[in-house]
Amino acid sequence: MTQHIGIVGCSAEGAALCYQTICVEGAQLLGPHAHPEVSMHTPSLADYMAHIYRNDWRGVGEVMLASANKLAKIGASFLVCPDNTIHQALPFIEARSPLPWLHIAECVADEAAQRGFKRLAITGTRWLVESEVYAEKLSARGLEYVRPAVDEREEINRIIMEELVCGVFTPDAVTAFRRVIQRMKDEDGCDAVVLGCTEIPLIMNDVNSPLPTLDSTRLLARAALQRTVQGRAAAEEP
């Protein structure tokens, strides 16, 4: 038996990509058509945004905790949250959580260090970019990071909140991201870019990005898969 993955969803497109990655890539580790048991709870995005717009991160944390409690009751073994922005609320509720969490920024930082990157461009919502979610995890591994300029943050935030989370993917959005990433490569000396919103990988990847990408959504999903496999191996040991 593999461990039961609980997904604390926030925005639909990112949560769906995380879920799909777990189910599809599970077969690579567990055999044809196999994947761990997965459950997801997703309150209305409006419930989260009501707190975020007020800068009420404790309130955001309580919404996350409500999902965590529901997932624990139906048998989840641990939790993942495929939303970078609301990770800044995790410290407010982690001690009261009924289950352990994988941290999305730790998954990205581990991958960056393993691949030998040194200086990362951070993209995401303006709330994420201006937070310490990635700054703390990257610094802990000796990695440098750069945040986009203020006007770039606002444009990226607009694309994410008005387009990507609504399932709207346009060539203009790709062009805007490419322009920001190219500038951060040329002017800031970045050697990779963190796709720090779980919807960004739906339009940006290693093919169209000026820098190698660190896909936070899929890296989190793969870390969850690895945890389930390691948990099964430990349970099977005599």
Side-chain angles (χ1 to χ4, degrees):
M1 294 291 293
T2 57
Q3 292 187 330
H4 180 170
I5 302 172
I7 300 177
V8 175
C10 179
S11 53
E13 292 287 347
L17 180 57
C18 181
Y19 170 80
Q20 180 188 53
T21 302
I22 290 170
C23 293
V24 172
E25 295 192 11
Q28 299 172 14
L29 298 173
L30 302 172
H33 308 298
H35 61 75
E37 184 174 3
V38 187
S39 297
M40 179 161 59
H41 180 262
T42 312
S44 171
L45 178 57
D47 294 346
Y48 276 115
M49 296 313 301
H51 294 291
I52 291 173
Y53 286 138
R54 296 197 302 267
N55 203 35
D56 175 17
W57 295 101
R58 290 184 181 275
V60 170
E62 293 304 317
V63 180
M64 296 172 73
L65 184 60
S67 286
N69 287 329
K70 291 176 181 179
L71 290 165
K73 288 180 180 178
I74 61 173
S77 306
F78 65 94
L79 303 169
V80 297
C81 177
D83 188 284
N84 289 269
T85 296
I86 67 173
H87 269 71
Q88 59 195 291
L90 188 56
F92 293 119
I93 55 93
E94 197 164 12
R96 292 184 287 137
S97 175
L99 296 170
W101 299 68
L102 295 184
H103 195 292
I104 196 167
E106 289 183 351
C107 298
V108 172
D110 287 345
E111 178 74 5
Q114 182 177 343
R115 292 173 64 181
F117 297 129
K118 303 296 184 183
R119 187 173 175 84
L120 307 182
I122 301 176
T123 61
T125 67
R126 61 178 175 82
W127 300 288
L128 181 278
V129 169
E130 294 169 2
S131 76
E132 297 303 305
V133 170
Y134 275 94
E136 291 178 354
K137 303 304 181 183
L138 297 177
S139 296
R141 288 160 177 77
L143 300 170
E144 298 179 356
Y145 58 89
V146 180
R147 309 175 202 258
V150 173
D151 60 330
E152 294 170 336
R153 299 176 197 179
E154 293 299 329
E155 177 61 6
I156 288 175
N157 191 77
R158 184 198 66 77
I159 292 170
I160 292 170
M161 299 306 300
E162 296 182 9
E163 298 179 15
L164 303 189
V165 300
C166 302
V168 177
F169 313 116
T170 69
D172 287 346
V174 174
T175 298
F177 270 90
R178 282 180 52 85
R179 182 170 57 248
V180 173
I181 296 169
Q182 186 69 58
R183 188 200 63 74
M184 297 180 79
K185 175 183 179 180
D186 295 341
E187 297 182 13
D188 297 324
C190 295
D191 57 3
V193 58
V194 176
L195 305 184
C197 164
T198 49
E199 279 80 23
I200 298 176
L202 294 168
I203 64 168
M204 299 303 300
N205 53 57
D206 283 342
V207 174
N208 63 7
S209 171
L211 285 172
T213 61
L214 292 161
D215 179 341
S216 63
T217 318
R218 291 184 174 93
L219 289 172
L220 178 66
R222 290 164 187 160
L225 282 170
Q226 287 295 329
R227 181 172 180 133
T228 65
V229 171
Q230 292 165 0
R232 183 175 72 167
E236 291 175 349
E237 289 180 357

